Amino acid sequence: MALTLTPGTLIVASAYPDPPFDLIENGSAGGFDIELMRAICAQLGLALQPVRYSGGDFNGIFDGLAKGSYDAVISGTTITPERSAVALFSQPYLEFNQGVAVNRRSTPKVASLSDLRGLTAGIQSGNTSDLVAKRLFADGVIANIQYYPYHGIATALDDLEAGRIGLVIKLHPVISWLVKDRPALAVAIEVPTHEKLGIAFAKQNEALCEAVNGVLATLHEDGEFARLEARWFPRAGG
C-alpha cells in the first residue's frame, strides 16, 4: 500500500505567511518546515510538493487531510486535543511559547500582561493564540478581541501600527519574524504556553506517520535537525 496519495510524491499543505516555518523565497517555498520536509522526503525517496492553504480559519486546513487533498500539514502547527481528534500527529519536533507584539510608540511601557489593560488584541482565526487572548479577556485585562482571517496577519499588523488595535498575539518565533521590519512594533512579552509542534496526517495514515517519525529520529541522530534549527531559530537553543 502506498504511503502517499500520489506514489512517489508527498503533498504538504502550509498556511502562508508563517515565517520562519513557511515562507516564499525568490518565488519558491522555503522556511524551517519546508526544509525539514525536504530532508524527510530525501530519506523516504519522495518528491516534495508544497501547496498553499488559503482558508480564513487555520483549523480548516485539517479538512484537506480527511478529503485526500494532501498527505500532510505543516505550518508551525501546535498539537492540541481538538486537532488530534481530527488528525494524526507526528512526534513533537519543536516547542515554543506565544509572543505579544505591541506598538512601542503608543504603548512604550508594556512589559507584562497587566500592562495590556484596556487594549484590543488582534488574533488570526483558528490560532492557538486565541486561547491566550480569551483568558486575558475573561480576566478583564484586555478590552476586546478582534479576529482576522488567517491570511490577514499583515492587516492585523497594519492596524497595530495605526493604533486601531493594541496588540497582536502569535507564536513567538513567528511574530518576532513578522515585526522585525516594522520599527514601531516589538514583541514585548513571551507567554509561557509551551506548545509542542507536530506534522499532521490523515487519521487513517498511520504508516506515513510512523515512517516520518522514524526519519525525524534519524535527523536528530545525524545532526541535520540541529543544523536546520540553528539556521531558522538561532536563539531557540540546540
Side-chain angles (χ1 to χ4, degrees):
M1 179 178 173
L3 293 177
T4 58
L5 296 166
T6 301
T9 300
L10 185 70
I11 305 171
V12 178
S14 298
Y16 300 90
D18 200 45
F21 297 102
D22 310 298
L23 63 151
I24 301 297
E25 292 183 308
N26 301 318
S28 61
F32 176 87
D33 276 355
I34 296 294
E35 289 197 8
L36 177 62
M37 296 311 295
R38 285 197 179 108
I40 289 171
C41 283
Q43 293 278 339
L44 295 177
L46 299 171
L48 177 64
Q49 182 182 332
V51 297
R52 179 191 293 266
Y53 168 74
S54 56
D57 185 312
F58 180 77
N59 284 323
I61 198 171
F62 303 106
D63 295 341
L65 294 172
K67 294 176 181 177
S69 301
Y70 30 80
D71 298 294
V73 166
I74 56 171
S75 237
T77 304
T78 298
I79 303 170
T80 68
E82 294 78 14
R83 292 171 179 176
S84 295
V86 296
L88 188 63
F89 279 90
S90 70
Q91 290 296 313
Y93 62 89
L94 286 172
E95 180 179 311
F96 289 109
N97 297 321
Q98 291 285 326
V100 180
V102 299
N103 187 322
R104 279 303 192 193
R105 293 171 182 166
S106 57
T107 53
K109 297 183 179 180
V110 170
S112 67
L113 294 176
S114 61
D115 296 328
L116 302 174
R117 192 166 300 279
L119 300 179
T120 293
I123 300 294
Q124 287 171 293
S125 295
N127 256 20
T128 51
S129 52
D130 191 24
L131 299 176
V132 177
K134 284 178 176 175
R135 186 174 74 242
L136 293 173
F137 181 71
D139 290 343
V141 177
I142 62 174
N144 201 2
I145 302 172
Q146 182 167 322
Y147 291 95
Y148 296 80
Y150 191 85
H151 51 76
I153 184 63
T155 302
L157 295 173
D158 289 344
D159 285 351
L160 182 57
E161 282 186 322
R164 289 185 285 268
I165 59 175
L167 61 139
V168 171
I169 309 175
K170 192 164 174 62
L171 203 66
H172 190 270
V174 182
I175 193 65
S176 298
W177 185 290
L178 292 172
V179 304
K180 66 181 182 179
D181 295 324
R182 293 175 180 254
L185 308 184
V187 179
I189 306 166
E190 185 169 351
V191 184
T193 53
H194 305 291
E195 298 178 43
K196 293 178 172 58
L197 311 187
I199 304 163
F201 308 92
K203 269 287 193 181
Q204 70 274 16
N205 202 344
E206 295 180 358
L208 180 58
C209 184
E210 290 174 4
V212 169
N213 280 334
V215 175
L216 284 172
T218 298
L219 295 176
H220 278 284
E221 291 168 4
D222 65 16
E224 177 66 10
F225 189 94
R227 185 190 69 78
L228 289 175
E229 187 175 7
R231 176 185 174 188
W232 292 101
F233 308 103
R235 298 181 183 179

